[in-house]
């Protein structure tokens, strides 16, 4: 099985006509130059691919063009490389594209490789030694320092066996691909296969793809399905990270697919146009990288235009230096935290910098916040999962982050995501508000604002029961999710700081007791309703009887509301109020009537009016109230009195 042995990707790099394609052809027997124009002109224009089985390891070669006009094609194939084969011709030595390709591979974070000196049959040993010394100088202080240097001739076959042995040894040093990330396949080639339809190829840089998987092509969000998979030319049911993979896609037209798209599980990743990054400007960059500079971003197989905003006071990063910046892109891309990229100048075309994505969904920053931004991005640059999550959640403020938001930023699998959230909770970084993660600081601030707003309301309206829930939400939780609002209120209730009564919230220590003239008014109103029994006055009449002037009606209603809140008066409907004692006496009469008329316990409206001593004006609202309280149950034109 293809998937049972180790698979690595070896990428060639080097100047045009230094023998990269001939080397791959000699090793594999496959010509990586597949385009008619490439064969006619004798130069590599686009990416080429070939396979080599070394018994214990299967190598997928990505052969890249060496001409400076096709560096963007080279960049499309450089992602996902495990081992770099830096190719230098023995008869020419290090050339400009040798240096640029090597810079690109360093910026992309490739960790393993070797130098291959080709065309050894065309140079004397002394010249080969000189080229070797030149190569050693080029790679000093880099990941290739001390790496093997192998002399080969594609024409005579000299050195090819040694090269295969060296590649096998290097493969053993390549770490296994992480299993922490969801599947992602950046598309570097698109074509139609007769009888099959659309086919895309790329290096599967994370996770695994299975035949039948439901997927989407981003950033266009085109739904599709993996109808079939091939790895190294063989059909498989599953492809693993690190393998060159061809996917036959169903349900999507080939004309809608472009190089640079990313194939991923549906709903896991999202497009973005604003990223916070760490940048490293090449020492030989022609000038400092300045804010507002227009650049070409190369990430995986995608190339997009954008502008840089350097996140420091000077607004520049000098050649050979590094710093934080924000990239604002002209079209969406797909990126997750930790991914490497390369920047080239807009004009003239030249590789100037590269770096690492820190925050794929960045917001715009204020200049005066550079110190805070620097601290936040330093934490993200360390790539410690729990701290990353804490920064993402903290940066979101009261809005918080759902787990799907974190997944889109990081590409973490569900298992990893749950583990990191659990650890962040243990460390006291976040609070889980029913699926919305909020920082402890934001949660505490919201709680303090809510209590303060409620207390200020009590000061303004001392006779009010409290503040309406929706009013509190609008004033203090305008930027928070509903789950966060509920969680904060629940927390405050558990702590006894607030009390929620239906749709009203009041402070836990707020007293509704009144004194002086208001207490006397409340007693007069209670007496009016008690005396009126089951034929109470209207609300305005009650206030008038209590001596409330028309311009004091609003205040009188607040005092009356206190009487209602205490239960002394019951609101039946609208402004129709009854003293509680009157309703209790009515219930006692009804119960006695029911007991006397067993087993039916039925009473009609006319009898009820006589029993209660009220007109129809009051009888119907009273009966409907008793129905709601389940003291009576309507049965046609009668009520059945409950036992």
């Amino acid at each position: 099985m293809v998937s049972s042995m180790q698979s690595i990707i070896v990428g060639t790099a080097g100047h045009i006509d230094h023998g990269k394609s001939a080397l791959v052809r000699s090793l594999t027997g496959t010509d990586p130059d597949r385009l008619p124009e490439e064969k006619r002109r004798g130069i590599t224009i686009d990416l080429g691919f070939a396979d080599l089985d070394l018994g214990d390891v299967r190598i997928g070669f990505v052969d890249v063009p060496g001409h400076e006009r096709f560096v963007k094609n080279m960049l499309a194939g450089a992602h996902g490389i495990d081992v770099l084969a830096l190719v230098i011709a023995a008869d020419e030595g290090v050339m400009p594209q040798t240096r640029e390709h090597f810079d690109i591979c360093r910026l992309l974070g490739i960790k393993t490789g070797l130098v291959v000196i080709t065309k050894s049959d065309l140079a004397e040993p002394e010249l080969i030694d000189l080229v070797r010394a030149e190569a050693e100088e080029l790679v000093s202080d880099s990941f290739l320092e001390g790496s093997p240097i192998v002399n080969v001739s594609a024409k005579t076959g000299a050195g090819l066996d040694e090269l295969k042995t060296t590649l096998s040894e290097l493969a053993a040093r390549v770490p296994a691909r992480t299993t922490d990330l969801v599947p992602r396949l950046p598309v570097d080639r698109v074509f139609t296969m007769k009888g099959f339809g659309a086919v895309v190829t790329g290096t599967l840089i994370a996770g695994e793809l299975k035949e039948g998987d439901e997927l989407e092509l981003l950033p266009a969000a085109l739904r599709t399905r993996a109808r079939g998979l091939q790895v190294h030319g063989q059909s498989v049911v599953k492809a693993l990270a690190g393998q060159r993979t061809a996917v036959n896609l169903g349900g999507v037209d080939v004309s809608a697919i472009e190089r640079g798209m990313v194939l991923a599980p549906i709903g896991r990743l999202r497009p973005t146009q604003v990223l916070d990054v760490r940048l490293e400007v090449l020492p030989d960059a022609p000038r400092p990288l300045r804010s507002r500079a227009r650049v070409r971003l190369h990430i995986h197989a995608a190339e997009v235009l954008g502008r840089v905003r350097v996140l420091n006071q000077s607004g520049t990063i000098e050649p050979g230096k590094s710093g934080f910046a924000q990239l604002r892109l002209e079209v969406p891309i797909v990126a997750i935290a930790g991914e490497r990229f390369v920047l080239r100048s807009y004009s003239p075309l030249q590789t100037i910098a590269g770096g690492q994505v820190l925050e794929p969904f960045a917001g715009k920053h204020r200049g005066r916040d550079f110190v805070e931004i620097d601290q936040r991005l330093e934490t993200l640059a360390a790539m410690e999962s729990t701290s990353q999550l804490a920064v993402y959640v903290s940066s979101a403020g009261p809005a918080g982050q759902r787990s799907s938001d974190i997944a889109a930023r990081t590409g973490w699998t569900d298992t990893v995501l749950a583990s990191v959230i659990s650890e962040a909770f243990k460390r006291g970084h976040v609070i889980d508000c029913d699926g919305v993660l909020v920082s402890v600081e934001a949660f505490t601030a919201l709680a303090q604002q809510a209590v303060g707003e409620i207390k200020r309301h009590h000061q303004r309206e001392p006779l009010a029961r409290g503040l309406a829930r929706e009013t509190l939400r609008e004033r203090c939780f305008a930027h928070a999710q509903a789950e966060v609002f509920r969680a904060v209120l629940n927390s405050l209730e558990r702590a006894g700081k607030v009390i929620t009564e239906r749709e009203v919230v009041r402070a836990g220590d707020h007293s509704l007791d009144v004194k002086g003239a208001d207490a006397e008014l409340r007693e007069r109103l209670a007496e009016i309703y008690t005396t009126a029994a089951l034929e109470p006055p209207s609300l305005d009449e009650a206030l008038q009887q209590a001596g409330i002037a028309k311009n004091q009606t609003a205040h009188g209603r607040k005092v009356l509301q206190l009487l209602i809140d205490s239960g002394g008066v019951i609101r039946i409907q609208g402004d129709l109020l009854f003293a509680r004692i009157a309703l209790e006496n009515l219930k006692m009469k009804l119960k006695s009537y029911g007991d006397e008329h067993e087993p039916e316990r039925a009473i009609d409206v006319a009898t009820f009016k006589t029993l209660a001593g009220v007109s129809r004006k009051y009888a119907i609202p009273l009966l409907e109230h008793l129905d709601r309280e389940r003291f009576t149950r309507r049965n046609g034109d009668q009520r059945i009195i409950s036992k």
Side-chain angles (χ1 to χ4, degrees):
M1 287 288 291
V2 169
S3 60
S4 63
M5 70 169 66
Q6 183 188 14
S7 295
I8 67 165
I9 304 298
V10 175
T12 64
H15 199 75
I16 184 173
D17 201 29
H18 275 209
K20 297 185 294 299
S21 299
L23 175 66
V24 173
R25 187 163 52 246
S26 298
L27 286 170
T28 67
T30 300
D31 187 356
D33 288 340
R34 53 190 169 77
L35 302 177
E37 186 180 356
E38 291 178 315
K39 297 182 184 298
R40 185 176 68 252
R41 296 173 61 182
I43 65 169
T44 300
I45 296 172
D46 206 350
L47 302 176
F49 309 100
D51 304 318
L52 176 62
D53 189 345
L54 293 179
D56 56 346
V57 62
R58 187 180 293 273
I59 295 175
F61 282 97
V62 178
D63 183 41
V64 304
H67 196 287
E68 63 179 341
R69 286 175 52 199
F70 305 119
V71 170
K72 75 171 188 176
N73 292 344
M74 178 270 174
L75 277 156
H79 72 273
I81 289 176
D82 296 304
V83 175
L84 169 66
L86 184 63
V87 176
I88 305 173
D91 60 340
E92 287 194 333
V94 174
M95 298 291 282
Q97 292 313 120
T98 314
R99 297 182 184 278
E100 184 169 19
H101 281 203
F102 181 54
D103 283 339
I104 287 169
C105 292
R106 284 196 303 109
L107 292 171
L108 289 176
I110 297 170
K111 302 296 184 186
T112 307
L114 76 163
V115 177
V116 182
I117 299 178
T118 56
K119 303 185 179 183
S120 62
D121 58 299
L122 298 182
E124 296 296 327
E126 293 80 4
L127 182 57
I128 294 175
D129 288 342
L130 186 62
V131 171
R132 178 184 288 263
E134 193 178 17
E136 289 175 343
E137 181 181 359
L138 173 67
V139 303
S140 63
D141 295 324
S142 78
F143 71 97
L144 282 185
E145 183 173 25
S147 294
I149 301 177
V150 181
N151 303 335
V152 301
S153 169
K155 183 176 181 180
T156 67
L160 291 181
D161 288 339
E162 180 188 353
L163 178 56
K164 290 178 182 178
T165 300
T166 302
L167 287 172
S168 184
E169 291 171 351
L170 289 174
R173 289 159 43 187
V174 173
R177 299 265 180 163
T178 178
T179 59
D180 292 347
L181 304 177
V182 297
R184 285 173 298 131
L185 187 140
V187 175
D188 53 35
R189 188 179 170 213
V190 187
F191 57 94
T192 302
M193 204 167 179
K194 190 173 181 180
F196 291 91
V199 176
V200 299
T201 70
T203 300
L204 186 59
I205 57 177
E208 62 181 39
L209 288 181
K210 297 190 290 293
E211 188 176 320
D213 279 351
E214 298 294 327
L215 304 165
E216 64 179 341
L217 282 159
L218 297 164
L222 298 174
R223 294 286 186 103
T224 184
R225 184 174 62 86
R227 292 169 55 185
L229 301 171
Q230 280 197 352
V231 172
H232 301 297
Q234 299 180 30
S235 293
V236 295
V237 296
K238 181 170 64 175
L240 304 177
Q243 294 178 333
R244 285 292 306 174
T245 306
V247 189
N248 178 206
L249 298 178
V252 62
D253 192 87
V254 69
S255 62
I257 310 173
E258 299 175 352
R259 171 182 281 181
M261 286 183 166
V262 175
L263 194 62
I266 293 172
R268 293 303 298 233
L269 305 179
R270 301 173 190 164
T272 181
Q273 287 183 248
V274 184
L275 309 91
D276 284 343
V277 301
R278 179 192 283 280
L279 281 181
E280 175 188 346
V281 179
L282 290 173
D284 58 354
R287 65 187 64 85
L289 183 60
R290 301 183 185 278
S291 286
R292 299 291 300 161
R294 200 172 188 214
V295 294
R296 300 174 186 270
L297 168 71
H298 295 264
I299 184 164
H300 299 312
E303 177 195 19
V304 298
L305 295 174
R307 292 194 183 273
V308 177
R309 186 195 178 194
V310 177
L311 299 176
N312 61 32
Q313 294 291 348
S314 68
T316 62
I317 303 176
E318 297 292 331
K321 302 295 184 180
S322 62
F324 298 122
Q326 185 169 93
L327 301 179
R328 299 175 183 176
L329 308 178
E330 296 180 14
V331 296
I333 62 162
V334 175
I336 63 172
E339 288 189 313
R340 308 286 304 191
F341 62 86
V342 169
L343 291 185
R344 305 191 82 212
S345 54
Y346 176 69
S347 181
L349 291 174
Q350 183 177 357
T351 301
I352 55 174
Q356 188 175 38
V357 177
L358 302 179
E359 165 57 285
F361 300 96
K364 291 187 177 181
H365 302 303
R366 296 176 299 183
R368 62 178 179 272
D369 294 337
F370 281 141
V371 173
E372 179 185 338
I373 295 166
D374 190 74
Q375 293 173 345
R376 187 187 311 154
L377 295 181
E378 282 287 2
T379 302
L380 290 176
M383 289 294 151
E384 196 277 317
S385 299
T386 307
S387 298
Q388 276 182 275
L389 181 138
V391 170
Y392 293 141
V393 172
S394 176
S395 300
Q401 294 273 292
R402 297 186 185 275
S403 58
S404 57
D405 300 326
I406 303 297
R409 281 172 160 79
T410 61
W412 291 334
T413 63
D414 289 339
T415 301
V416 173
L417 187 59
S419 175
V420 175
I421 290 174
S422 175
E423 181 61 26
F425 182 78
K426 289 179 184 175
R427 293 187 192 179
H429 292 327
V430 301
I431 292 175
D432 188 347
C433 302
D434 194 21
V436 179
L437 302 175
V438 178
S439 69
V440 172
E441 294 79 9
F443 190 91
T444 302
L446 285 170
Q448 291 173 345
Q449 291 169 20
V451 171
E453 185 62 34
I454 293 167
K455 290 192 172 183
R456 285 190 293 274
H457 178 76
H458 288 324
Q459 291 173 352
R460 292 191 300 267
E461 303 285 349
L463 298 181
R465 283 190 301 158
L467 184 62
R469 281 173 61 102
E470 283 307 306
T471 302
L472 177 64
R473 182 176 176 181
E474 290 171 5
R475 291 178 182 175
C476 299
F477 296 83
H479 301 292
Q481 305 279 359
E483 293 89 340
V484 178
F485 176 54
R486 290 195 297 269
V488 170
L489 277 192
N490 290 339
S491 173
L492 291 173
E493 280 202 278
R494 288 194 299 271
K497 294 184 178 180
V498 303
I499 295 172
T500 302
E501 297 172 336
R502 296 184 182 178
E503 295 305 311
V504 172
V505 185
R506 62 181 174 88
D509 57 359
H510 179 62
S511 173
L512 291 175
D513 289 340
V514 292
K515 299 177 181 179
D518 288 337
E520 293 176 4
L521 174 58
R522 183 174 62 178
E523 292 305 318
R524 289 200 300 276
L525 287 168
E527 185 177 350
I528 288 168
Y529 280 104
T530 301
T531 302
L534 296 178
E535 293 187 318
S538 69
L539 192 148
D540 288 338
E541 290 171 343
L543 293 176
Q544 187 177 0
Q545 292 176 28
I548 299 296
K550 287 187 177 181
N551 62 352
Q552 293 294 314
T553 299
H555 183 76
R557 282 176 175 264
K558 291 178 182 178
V559 174
L560 180 57
Q561 184 63 50
L562 295 179
L563 191 58
I564 296 170
D565 293 341
S566 68
V569 171
I570 308 296
R571 188 187 299 275
I572 300 303
Q573 64 179 34
D575 285 346
L576 187 56
L577 308 176
F578 291 85
R580 174 181 290 277
I581 187 64
L583 293 176
E584 294 298 332
N585 290 337
L586 174 61
K587 288 179 181 179
M588 290 176 63
K589 288 182 180 180
L590 283 172
K591 183 178 182 304
S592 298
Y593 181 89
D595 292 342
E596 293 170 2
H597 294 79
E598 291 283 4
E600 292 83 2
R601 301 183 68 83
I603 187 171
D604 57 24
V605 174
T607 306
F608 176 81
K609 287 166 56 180
T610 302
L611 181 69
V614 297
S615 66
R616 188 177 182 85
K617 171 185 174 181
Y618 298 106
I620 299 303
L622 283 168
L623 283 170
E624 290 175 349
H625 169 71
L626 293 168
D627 290 344
R628 289 194 297 271
E629 291 208 331
R630 298 185 180 181
F631 191 86
T632 57
R633 174 174 55 85
R634 186 165 185 170
N635 183 22
D637 293 333
Q638 296 183 321
R639 266 30 181 224
I640 307 302
I641 302 169
S642 172
K643 290 186 179 183

